[in-house]
Amino acid sequence: MSFSSCLKSHPWPLPRQPVLPFSSKPTTISFASTQHHDHRQLTSQSSSSSTFSRQLPSNFTSTQLLDALRRQRDESSALRLFTWASKQPNFAPNSSLYEELLTKLGKVGAFDSMRRILEDMKLSGCQIRTGTFLIFVESYAKFDMYDEILEVTQLMKDDFGLEPNTHFYNHLLNVLVDGNKLKLVETAHAHMVSGRIKPDVSTFNILIKALCKAHQIRPAILMMEEMPGYGLAPDERTFTTLMQGLIEEGNLDGALRIREQMVEHGCLVTNVTVNVLVHGFCREGRIEDALSFIQEMVSEGFNPDQFTYNTLVNGLCKVGHVKQAVEVMDMMLQEGFDPDVFTYNSLISGLCKLGEVEEAVEILNQMILRDCSPNTITYNTLISTLCKENQVEEATELARVLTSKGILPDVCTFNSLIQGLCLTGNFDVAMELFQEMKTKGCQPDEFTYNMLIDSLCSRGMLEEALKLLKEMESSGCARNVVTYNTLIDGFCKLKRIEEAEEIFDEMEIQGISRNSVTYNTLIDGFCKSRRVEDAAQLMDQMIMEGLKPDKFTYNSILTYYCRAGDIKRAADIVQNMTSNGCEPDIVTYGTLIGGLCKAGRVEVASKLLRSIQMKGIVLTPQAYNPVIQALFRRKRTTEAMRLFREMMEKADPPDALTYKHVFRGLCNGGGPIGEAVDFVIEMLERGFLPEFSSFYMLAEGLVSLGKEETLVELIDMVMDKAKFSDRETSMVRGFLKIRKFQDALATFGDILDSRMPRKTFRSRSKYF
């Protein structure tokens, strides 16, 4: 039976259900526990007598003994004190003494000793109350032993003759709800019903909270509506719990309707209610509405508290209004509320999201000056942002500060630093930090392993990546679809398709569901390895598994056919793509245009370019470049340049490849040399460096026409844009000065090639 149906269909009349028996324990007290938590030998030492006699007078009272027990540092010393005191002639046991001892034992999970103390309490004749058993409930919850909590009620009845009352069940239910053990809430509620224990308002409130946690808002509202049938009226907590549940589901309007009902019932709106609704407004980014609502509530007697201000600060920061958030913090100070760690963390997070790291550090300094101690979240936010800004050294220094203040780095701290090191090419240092992370007892998580596996794959170190995968498994860290997708991509990029297939198959063995990325990666790998039939079969399998091929799937197969010059099949792929409800994107059209140009069908490619423009799609260099290149190759320089200028006006800006095609076309086309010179200047002004092979042809033309001065000026401009060193510049200019143009160009070309990768032509000067 579902949780909601249990609470809805059985409002207290279910038959009694059997409860697991609580194992009986010997009545003699032995402090050697067999539990798996804190099971130290708890023995009474003769040497303790003098110690305890100094702590307590010879005629101590029960109150003095209770105070002494509370002062003990641990459960071991408390037990020794209790044992010593129990042997003194004036010892008078009472419930408070035993309950204090049970509380201390419960904190360390010494449950066997707790049970024996309970038996001794029974033998001593002390009154055992339901509250005594709530200590067991709280202690079991602390150690996530929720199943044992339900056995406590049976122990009470069978061994001690106590019937759990409404207060006891309310406490037990609340502990289970807070632990998110909703199935156990259902069982405990059934026990309460079968025991004919009458619910009160708190019972309903706890069960409504449970239903809201289970995302069953409608049953929760119905439960509130059933309360009058039990002679009960919803209170402020009932309505507020429902409002919070609706807000968590993204239904703020529903929460506001519940508030209207609350007012109609004559239930007073408290600060908690107002703050819940303020949180709802801020959560949806409705800051103006939140401020208006607060103003309305202030006119009705509401006084904003620290939670109100913190909620506003957090809401403003999340929508990027950090300046206004700082103003709210100033107002907060004026009203006598000190900003806490939550306030400062919200501001720091907001500034970091805007990339204003220096301002975030200033807030951190203010925080420290105002005696508000930063926590791990504070530092992690800054460390993560610094790493994303490639300021890994600064992030590492901040991590050292964190450690020096006694705040231990957690997995988020290490992950941020490792990610920053990987992104900045410091992979060896990242691996050292990974090892240090483990030696310091911080367990790596999925994100840690996935980052490192991705870095290893991108470096072609696939065997090391597989070793890390095995370590991930042996450490108990769950491998997910991201892990396998990363490995498949790594093997596909190195054309090791068979091994990529093995990893693909292993996913099924490991019970890890493949997603679209998994299929698309392997399909793309097949296509690049010219195994298009296998790619088509994999696409069929993808569909059979309920996954819909997307533009990445189709574009991979389309690219294969375009490169192979099979335009008919390429066109069929685009047709299938459209008929299956997948709209072609600019990559699709760009690939098809490239295929058409490669097959010599430039006119068709040009017409396709125009038809795409008619659809309102913003064209990219990928669509223009093939046509521009094809026109230049056919010596149709005027048309090519017209298309280039059109691209600059109506489409995305030209990229490095565009400039390469145009510059090469102008230098090879036999047109006016002045046009090529002007284009070099335009390239440099737009941040692009010329390809040297084409520049060499232009240089030869200028020398042959006696325009050496123009050549020298162009070389100077390129050297300046490419950031040649003084020594390099002097070498080139030295050859030019003595008119050794071949030597000058050879030296110039070698240096220029070293300034930029052969596959990219954008000037790197903007990054320095």
Side-chain angles (χ1 to χ4, degrees):
M1 181 181 293
S2 71
F3 178 56
S4 61
S5 61
C6 173
L7 298 184
K8 179 182 175 183
S9 305
H10 301 284
W12 330 123
L14 290 182
R16 183 180 180 84
Q17 296 183 10
V19 183
L20 292 173
F22 199 102
S23 55
S24 60
K25 300 292 174 185
T27 56
T28 56
I29 297 177
S30 169
F31 299 133
S33 174
T34 57
Q35 287 294 85
H36 65 280
H37 296 291
D38 189 345
H39 302 150
R40 291 168 285 180
Q41 186 75 16
L42 306 175
T43 58
S44 178
Q45 309 270 340
S46 59
S47 60
S48 301
S49 299
S50 59
T51 304
F52 296 140
S53 61
R54 286 197 299 270
Q55 294 185 38
L56 288 167
S58 58
N59 58 342
F60 64 84
T61 64
S62 295
T63 302
Q64 288 172 325
L65 177 57
L66 181 61
D67 289 340
L69 283 171
R70 286 172 176 164
R71 289 196 301 270
Q72 300 308 302
R73 291 173 313 207
D74 53 46
E75 83 294 345
S76 179
S77 57
L79 271 170
R80 286 197 297 271
L81 173 59
F82 184 83
T83 303
W84 173 83
S86 66
K87 295 174 183 176
Q88 306 309 307
N90 59 322
F91 175 68
N94 63 36
S95 300
S96 297
L97 292 171
Y98 280 105
E99 287 175 359
E100 178 62 28
L101 202 53
L102 287 170
T103 301
K104 285 190 175 294
L105 290 165
K107 285 180 179 177
V108 296
F111 296 113
D112 279 349
S113 295
M114 287 178 71
R115 290 163 183 159
R116 293 179 182 111
I117 289 292
L118 190 63
E119 291 292 342
D120 189 58
M121 186 178 178
K122 179 180 178 182
L123 289 173
S124 70
C126 286
Q127 180 189 6
I128 299 179
R129 304 166 291 198
T130 55
T132 309
F133 292 93
L134 288 176
I135 297 171
F136 280 87
V137 171
E138 293 283 356
S139 301
Y140 281 133
K142 181 179 179 181
F143 289 94
D144 291 327
M145 298 170 67
Y146 288 96
D147 289 329
E148 283 81 351
I149 288 176
L150 297 184
E151 297 180 19
V152 175
T153 57
Q154 199 68 30
L155 172 71
M156 290 172 64
K157 291 185 280 189
D158 293 350
D159 290 12
F160 294 87
L162 280 175
E163 285 293 331
N165 56 20
T166 304
H167 172 74
F168 177 87
Y169 265 112
N170 285 350
H171 195 103
L172 184 148
L173 285 167
N174 200 50
V175 165
L176 292 173
V177 173
D178 287 344
N180 210 31
K181 302 297 176 182
L182 302 182
K183 290 300 293 181
L184 292 178
V185 172
E186 183 178 340
T187 305
H189 168 246
H191 292 170
M192 188 177 180
V193 170
S194 65
R196 301 194 178 279
I197 297 166
K198 189 177 180 181
D200 61 10
V201 174
S202 293
T203 315
F204 275 96
N205 288 345
I206 293 162
L207 294 174
I208 286 169
K209 180 168 73 169
L211 287 165
C212 288
K213 273 199 166 191
H215 307 288
Q216 299 186 36
I217 304 299
R218 182 59 186 159
I221 294 171
L222 291 174
M223 179 163 277
M224 181 185 72
E225 292 172 355
E226 290 173 6
M227 289 178 71
Y230 292 88
L232 302 169
D235 62 7
E236 178 268 339
R237 182 164 291 187
T238 318
F239 290 109
T240 302
T241 302
L242 282 170
M243 288 181 213
Q244 195 159 11
L246 285 159
I247 286 167
E248 291 302 315
E249 296 296 310
N251 188 359
L252 177 59
D253 291 336
L256 291 169
R257 286 194 294 271
I258 293 292
R259 181 200 161 225
E260 290 173 5
Q261 287 184 40
M262 183 179 181
V263 174
E264 288 171 6
H265 276 75
C267 193
L268 291 175
V269 176
T270 66
N271 272 32
V272 176
T273 312
V274 175
N275 286 337
V276 164
L277 290 168
V278 170
H279 167 71
F281 282 117
C282 291
R283 179 181 167 137
E284 293 191 3
R286 294 166 59 179
I287 307 300
E288 292 297 327
D289 291 337
L291 292 169
S292 299
F293 177 68
I294 291 171
Q295 199 65 41
E296 178 190 338
M297 290 295 99
V298 166
S299 67
E300 295 179 14
F302 166 71
N303 291 314
D305 57 19
Q306 184 146 7
F307 187 89
T308 319
Y309 287 113
N310 277 347
T311 304
L312 276 174
V313 168
N314 189 48
L316 285 163
C317 289
K318 281 186 174 177
V319 295
H321 300 322
V322 183
K323 185 179 177 182
Q324 291 89 328
V326 173
E327 291 172 2
V328 171
M329 187 178 74
D330 292 338
M331 189 190 308
M332 184 178 180
L333 285 162
Q334 291 169 14
E335 294 297 323
F337 296 103
D338 288 328
D340 57 16
V341 68
F342 183 85
T343 324
Y344 287 110
N345 283 353
S346 297
L347 289 169
I348 288 169
S349 176
L351 288 165
C352 285
K353 284 177 183 175
L354 295 174
E356 298 176 5
V357 187
E358 290 181 10
E359 289 81 355
V361 172
E362 284 180 19
I363 294 291
L364 174 65
N365 293 332
Q366 284 182 36
M367 183 180 186
I368 295 167
L369 286 171
R370 288 175 178 167
D371 292 326
C372 182
S373 299
N375 59 15
T376 311
I377 295 171
T378 320
Y379 285 107
N380 282 350
T381 304
L382 283 164
I383 287 168
S384 175
T385 305
L386 286 167
C387 288
K388 287 174 183 174
E389 297 284 331
N390 291 331
Q391 299 181 49
V392 183
E393 287 184 17
E394 291 85 347
T396 307
E397 183 58 36
L398 196 57
R400 290 195 190 100
V401 171
L402 183 152
T403 308
S404 69
K405 292 183 179 293
I407 303 173
L408 293 176
D410 61 9
V411 67
C412 294
T413 320
F414 281 107
N415 282 350
S416 295
L417 290 169
I418 289 170
Q419 184 181 38
L421 289 165
C422 288
L423 292 174
T424 52
N426 296 305
F427 181 72
D428 292 338
V429 183
M431 286 302 295
E432 287 174 13
L433 190 60
F434 174 64
Q435 297 303 329
E436 181 184 338
M437 175 185 188
K438 292 185 288 184
T439 56
K440 287 189 174 178
C442 185
Q443 183 63 37
D445 61 10
E446 294 172 22
F447 188 74
T448 323
Y449 282 107
N450 286 343
M451 273 192 303
L452 292 171
I453 287 171
D454 181 59
S455 290
L456 287 166
C457 288
S458 66
R459 287 165 173 75
M461 301 165 69
L462 299 179
E463 279 66 31
E464 288 81 355
L466 290 174
K467 285 178 186 175
L468 209 55
L469 180 71
K470 288 181 181 178
E471 180 186 319
M472 190 177 183
E473 181 183 13
S474 61
S475 68
C477 184
R479 297 170 292 179
N480 57 22
V481 66
V482 175
T483 319
Y484 283 97
N485 286 352
T486 303
L487 285 164
I488 290 169
D489 183 58
F491 279 103
C492 285
K493 281 178 178 173
L494 290 183
K495 301 292 190 293
R496 293 167 63 174
I497 303 300
E498 289 76 13
E499 288 156 290
E501 287 180 87
E502 289 175 12
I503 294 167
F504 179 86
D505 293 337
E506 187 185 333
M507 290 180 74
E508 187 171 4
I509 297 168
Q510 295 293 335
I512 295 170
S513 299
R514 304 166 182 131
N515 59 17
S516 296
V517 176
T518 320
Y519 278 99
N520 286 343
T521 305
L522 192 53
I523 286 169
D524 190 59
F526 279 143
C527 290
K528 286 176 179 174
S529 298
R530 301 180 182 180
R531 291 173 56 182
V532 71
E533 296 302 326
D534 291 329
Q537 287 179 14
L538 198 60
M539 187 166 78
D540 291 338
Q541 181 181 334
M542 179 182 185
I543 295 167
M544 287 175 64
E545 287 197 14
L547 296 169
K548 191 175 181 181
D550 56 21
K551 58 186 179 182
F552 300 104
T553 324
Y554 289 108
N555 286 345
S556 292
I557 299 175
L558 176 68
T559 300
Y560 168 81
Y561 285 124
C562 286
R563 285 178 178 171
D566 194 338
I567 298 303
K568 184 181 183 305
R569 288 200 177 183
D572 289 342
I573 291 294
V574 177
Q575 183 63 42
N576 290 339
M577 185 177 182
T578 307
S579 61
N580 288 328
C582 184
E583 191 65 30
D585 61 3
I586 192 60
V587 177
T588 314
Y589 289 119
T591 304
L592 188 56
I593 287 169
L596 287 164
C597 290
K598 186 176 181 180
R601 302 174 68 178
V602 183
E603 302 305 327
V604 178
S606 297
K607 287 180 181 178
L608 181 58
L609 196 66
R610 298 295 170 223
S611 67
I612 299 167
Q613 284 177 321
M614 295 292 290
K615 291 182 179 182
I617 298 173
V618 177
L619 296 174
T620 63
Q622 187 183 3
Y624 274 100
N625 288 347
V627 182
I628 290 171
Q629 183 184 29
L631 289 170
F632 271 121
R633 282 178 175 172
R634 285 160 178 73
K635 307 300 181 184
R636 294 161 64 176
T637 305
T638 304
E639 292 174 67
M641 285 305 296
R642 188 187 303 125
L643 199 60
F644 172 74
R645 296 302 172 196
E646 174 192 303
M647 179 183 180
M648 294 186 70
E649 291 177 11
K650 299 180 180 179
D652 283 349
D655 61 8
L657 194 58
T658 319
Y659 281 100
K660 175 186 173 181
H661 291 327
V662 174
F663 184 51
R664 182 179 288 180
L666 290 171
C667 292
N668 288 337
I673 198 167
E675 190 173 5
V677 171
D678 291 341
F679 191 76
V680 174
I681 296 169
E682 181 181 336
M683 276 183 79
L684 294 170
E685 287 174 349
R686 295 186 183 277
F688 293 90
L689 294 174
E691 178 194 25
F692 178 68
S693 60
S694 299
F695 188 88
Y696 184 81
M697 286 188 284
L698 175 61
E700 283 188 322
L702 289 169
V703 171
S704 66
L705 293 172
K707 296 186 176 183
E708 291 88 350
E709 288 184 9
T710 304
L711 174 60
V712 171
E713 288 175 9
L714 286 179
I715 290 175
D716 278 343
M717 291 173 68
V718 174
M719 289 193 297
D720 180 60
K721 182 63 70 174
K723 299 291 182 183
F724 277 35
S725 68
D726 291 342
R727 179 178 169 277
E728 291 166 340
T729 304
S730 296
M731 286 173 60
V732 175
R733 284 177 176 167
F735 284 123
L736 290 171
K737 192 172 183 180
I738 59 175
R739 300 184 63 81
K740 288 191 174 183
F741 293 108
Q742 288 296 333
D743 292 336
L745 287 169
T747 305
F748 171 77
D750 289 340
I751 299 170
L752 186 62
D753 284 345
S754 70
R755 283 290 183 277
M756 58 184 183
R758 290 187 180 277
K759 291 186 179 180
T760 58
F761 303 91
R762 177 176 277 280
S763 169
R764 296 170 59 191
S765 61
K766 61 177 281 192
Y767 299 112
F768 292 89

